[in-house]
Amino acid sequence: MRAVVVTPKKPGSGRLAEVPDPQLREGEVLVRVQQVGLDGTDAEILEGQYGEAPPGDDYLIIGHESLGRVEKVMGGATGLSPGDRVVAIVRRPDPVPCRNCAAGEWDMCLNGQYTERGIKGRHGFLAEFYTESPDFLVAVPAEIAPVAVLLEPLSIVEKAIEQIKRIQSRLVWQAERAVVLGAGPIGLLAGMLLSLEGIEVHFYDATERGIKSDLAEASGANYIWAGERKLSHELAAEIGAVDIVVEATGYSPLAFDAMDMVAPNGVVCLTGVSGGSRKLEVSADHLNLEMVLSNKVVFGTVNANRRHFESGVRHLLEIEARWPGLLSRMITRRLPLTEFARAFERSPDHVKSIVEIS
Ligand code: BGC
Ligand code: ZN
């Protein structure tokens, strides 16, 4: 079959290749891939920053944001039938397993020996087919099929917001206002979930007005262009106390500004993967004092488990009902397999690029 592969850690080795078809085993299903979304992680794998081939292979099929249709079910695989639309979960528990992986919370793996499809030690989905156990497949209803390729990025946001709520159960809390840093796919989806909860959302983004501000505003949020405002106490004084900051740019200096400007008892949630080695001088005493005297929390979050994909399915339905068509407007570029590389051409006019396979 055809697949997009890389030679891990070799910059620029991304290519469309002919690879062996996956072997369907007992208890598994064969999935025909329909769409794959591409993101910053894929870009970094193509740049050779990380990525790991499965044992015995010298290449890695990339792609971890998928939507497909069940083609064939092997004896013993229950719960799915040919024709069902499915999205695959990305991470697999480590073989030990650690106490989190043993409990199905592999997104909280302790020993780093987990694997991730399309990223670390397992092939991904940017191919014509893949095989998988139903344990790692989530069925999606037909109504949301046109936007279900967004379920994997949404699962990241589902986990982030679940964690915010769990952490904030430490106090009597009623969040009224959130600032989302970055109006890319993760940021926009976070803003939508927060809006669904009745929280006032402000986006803060380095891109001048355009598609991102259009989408943000269509979800009822406010859009602040970073080119004219600094993320500061003054900004917070203007828009009102900020209870939640979700960082979704990966531009690490913003994390420190966020810790400073978030309101007393507030929470800063970091989701951006910063691959670089940027150094920064920070007002350490001031930040420490702010955090202590105002009971602030800052935490990081990565990946998602089955529960987050399932709540994501419910939220895709809710988002579609609340803002019809908004999710599909986020998909700004649809490419054939042969043109996958164009997904990584940077442009302020694009939010989410996907490859359409079948
Ligand atoms: C994926 C996550 C993954 C993370 C780190 C993200 O792009 O969505 O599932 O855990 O990269 O590999
Ligand atoms: Zn583990």
Side-chain angles (χ1 to χ4, degrees), residues 93-94 97-102 106 108-114:
D94 73 75
C98 73
R99 76 174 77 87
N100 292 287
C101 284
W106 50 72
M108 293 293 196
C109 183
L110 273 169
N111 60 26
Q113 292 182 47
Y114 61 82

Side-chain angles (χ1 to χ4, degrees), residues 251-329:
Y251 178 62
S252 54
L254 287 180
F256 298 92
D257 295 336
M259 289 175 211
D260 192 27
M261 66 93 78
V262 76
N265 294 356
V267 56
V268 176
C269 166
L270 307 178
T271 72
V273 179
S274 42
S277 53
R278 184 173 278 109
K279 301 236 177 359
L280 188 70
E281 195 168 295
V282 296
S283 309
D285 281 346
H286 170 75
L287 274 182
N288 183 76
L289 189 71
E290 269 286 318
M291 299 285 299
V292 170
L293 296 186
S294 300
N295 292 296
K296 297 181 181 184
V297 170
V298 52
F299 78 101
T301 175
V302 70
N303 193 250
N305 65 47
R306 187 168 190 102
R307 177 172 76 246
H308 307 120
F309 280 78
E310 288 173 352
S311 59
V313 169
R314 295 193 290 275
H315 281 134
L316 284 179
L317 289 160
E318 270 185 54
I319 294 171
E320 267 299 285
R322 169 87 175 262
W323 302 287
L326 185 58
L327 289 168
S328 66
R329 283 175 62 201

Side-chain angles (χ1 to χ4, degrees), residues 14 33 75 118 128 144 147 181 191 199 308 324 329 344:
V33 182
E128 288 174 282
I144 51 164
V147 292
L181 308 179
I199 295 171
H308 307 120
R329 283 175 62 201
F344 304 100

Side-chain angles (χ1 to χ4, degrees), residues 6 33 39 50 78 85 87 114 135 151 155 168 178 201 213 247 264 276 286-287 301-302 311 323 336 354:
V6 294
V33 182
D39 73 355
Y50 47 87
T78 50
R85 293 169 181 82
V87 171
Y114 61 82
D135 293 347
L151 181 57
S155 73
Q168 292 303 80
V201 175
S213 58
E247 204 302 302
H286 170 75
L287 274 182
T301 175
V302 70
S311 59
W323 302 287
I354 68 166

Side-chain angles (χ1 to χ4, degrees), residues 176-180 190-192 194-195 199-203 220-222:
E176 285 174 11
R177 191 168 297 105
V179 168
V180 177
M192 290 176 204
L194 292 165
S195 291
I199 295 171
E200 178 186 306
V201 175
H202 299 259
F203 283 95
N222 176 37

Side-chain angles (χ1 to χ4, degrees), residues 24 56 59-60 98 103 108 157 216-217 269 293 349 355:
L24 187 57
Y59 65 92
L60 170 73
C98 73
M108 293 293 196
V157 174
E217 285 166 1
C269 166
L293 296 186
D349 302 328
V355 173

